[in-house]
Amino acid sequence: MRVGSGLQRAQRFMMLATGLYRASHLTAGFVAVLRRASGEVAPWAVFGGILAFSVWLYGNAYARGWFDRRWVWADVLVTGCAVPLLVALASGGRTGGGWLPGGADVAQYGWLFLLGGSVSAAAGVALAPRPAAGAVLLLLGTTLAAYLWVIGPPGAPGSANVGHLNSVVSSAVMARVFWWYLRRQGTQLDEAKERALTAEAARARQAERIAHHRALHDTVLATLTTIAAGRVDANAAQVRERCAREAAYLRRLIQREDAPESTGAEAAEVAVGAALEEAVRSAECLGLKVTAQYHALPPVPRPVATALAAAVSEALNNVRCHAGTGEAFLTAVGAGGGVSVTVVDRGAGFDPAVPVGAASDGSGTGLRRSIHARLAEIGGRSEVDSAPGEGTSVELRWPA
């Protein structure tokens, strides 16, 4: 059982509840002995023995995490049955003459009958249903026999005894019901946690796959598409350099271990201008001329810089592949701790009213996944403004 699980919390609560119930009865016993037999040794000896056993019972339970059934049975047989019977017999019963002080005056030891309730509560929680029912019957028989021996007359139990009998039964029943409910809730909580962890792991794997798909779409696929279309010389030094970088990326992707990355590295702030410039150089390797301007760019968290650079890379890929022009303009400025990046071309443009993913130029998937989704994930936003024959403007803002 995992530490801190719902089931363990339910067990801890029931041990605490039954322990407090026992403590209330012991407190009543202490007050009774102090008031009626403060100068006598026997009542204090009985109280001290039961107190020591109770401390051991609950201390052992807390150390183990739950009750030991053997000690619960010992509690039933000793605290709930043997001690009250022995005290009743030693008191001399209705005729007096017993070897314990007090004779037929049960007031000195009446608090022992209270313990039947807390003993039955512990048994109702720790034992299986049938053994718990047997323990309750033993406690009922002991209480009734001791009462009739001390008080009598036979066959005429008084209201106090009826109250003790009711306490034994009701304590066991209520404790059992509470334990059933709390155990059920704790188990359901643990199952819900397991489902949430499984779902979170699945979402993490899906997010990782999407991230790799985006990266492959924006890098390797874009490079291969450009080379296949004959738009660049595959033997050119810049193209070969880009192919080498992307081959290294694929190699790392295949060989990457499943260990999570350092959160400290992800949270570190970096210069966003360097990340954007890398995206610009990558596009220029495939023959696109990019005029870039940067002004007062603040440092941003690494995930933000990575997402902005990847979105810019996709915007430049779209210019190169779909705009029908070999030139693009990039402007990146900082304001109020945020960043605004604009990529503009004077190419063919397209109709933004066409549903995303249905654009005839094939740009829908890249806009949706590599630009809009990336900016949304980092708390930013993106806007695309275009019209047929009027070129295209892509604006990226962080934060939104």
Side-chain angles (χ1 to χ4, degrees), residues 190-206:
D190 291 338
E191 292 174 351
K193 285 183 178 179
E194 289 293 340
R195 290 193 297 269
L197 289 174
T198 301
E200 183 61 28
R203 284 194 294 270
R205 290 192 296 270
Q206 178 65 14

Side-chain angles (χ1 to χ4, degrees), residues 67 71 83 101 111 113 126 146 188 202 210 221 248 268 274 291 304 315 324 329 332 361:
F67 292 103
W71 290 112
V83 173
W111 61 272
F113 296 101
Q188 289 179 346
I210 291 174
L221 181 60
T291 301
V304 173
F329 303 88
D361 62 1

Side-chain angles (χ1 to χ4, degrees), residues 75-121:
D75 189 41
V76 171
L77 297 175
V78 176
T79 306
C81 296
V83 173
L85 278 176
L86 289 174
V87 168
L89 292 173
S91 68
R94 296 184 301 276
T95 60
W99 51 267
L100 275 180
D105 183 9
V106 78
Q108 294 182 9
Y109 303 101
W111 61 272
L112 289 172
F113 296 101
L114 290 175
L115 290 172
S118 57
V119 170
S120 69

Side-chain angles (χ1 to χ4, degrees), residues 355-374:
V356 174
S360 61
D361 62 1
S363 63
T365 299
L367 288 175
R368 183 176 68 251
R369 294 182 179 176
S370 295
I371 297 181
H372 296 315
R374 270 199 174 102

